[in-house]
Amino acid sequence: MQGCMKFMPYGIFVFTTYIAYTIPGAVGIYWILNSIMGIGQNLILNKFYNVYTINAKDEAARFARLKLQESK
């Protein structure tokens, strides 16, 4: 990472923490739970639909179509 992008993850965390402490409790709890659920959703989706798996399935389908065309 270059320049201010090195600061970005830490800056966002500090900003989010500050906002969560200054707004009403229910909104902060909603925000935190929504973030945790979003992280869980990303982990699950990346496990089943990661780039390598999708590319491998596409390549296998392409290879099967080529084999089918060659056999005709």
Side-chain angles (χ1 to χ4, degrees), residues 23-37:
I23 58 177
V27 177
I29 291 171
Y30 167 78
W31 196 359
I32 291 168
L33 291 177
N34 192 25
S35 296
I36 291 170
M37 287 174 38

Side-chain angles (χ1 to χ4, degrees), residues 47-64:
K47 181 176 181 178
F48 293 107
Y49 297 107
N50 63 25
V51 174
Y52 303 112
T53 304
I54 292 171
N55 286 341
K57 287 179 182 178
D58 287 343
E59 188 66 23
R62 187 181 70 82
F63 185 71

Side-chain angles (χ1 to χ4, degrees), residues 3-68:
C4 69
M5 290 304 290
K6 291 180 183 178
F7 170 74
M8 203 63 137
Y10 305 111
I12 290 174
F13 174 74
V14 170
F15 178 72
T16 303
T17 305
Y18 170 75
I19 294 295
Y21 280 115
T22 58
I23 58 177
V27 177
I29 291 171
Y30 167 78
W31 196 359
I32 291 168
L33 291 177
N34 192 25
S35 296
I36 291 170
M37 287 174 38
I39 290 169
Q41 181 180 13
N42 281 332
L43 290 174
I44 291 169
L45 288 174
N46 284 332
K47 181 176 181 178
F48 293 107
Y49 297 107
N50 63 25
V51 174
Y52 303 112
T53 304
I54 292 171
N55 286 341
K57 287 179 182 178
D58 287 343
E59 188 66 23
R62 187 181 70 82
F63 185 71
R65 283 192 307 270
L66 286 174
K67 282 290 202 181
L68 184 63

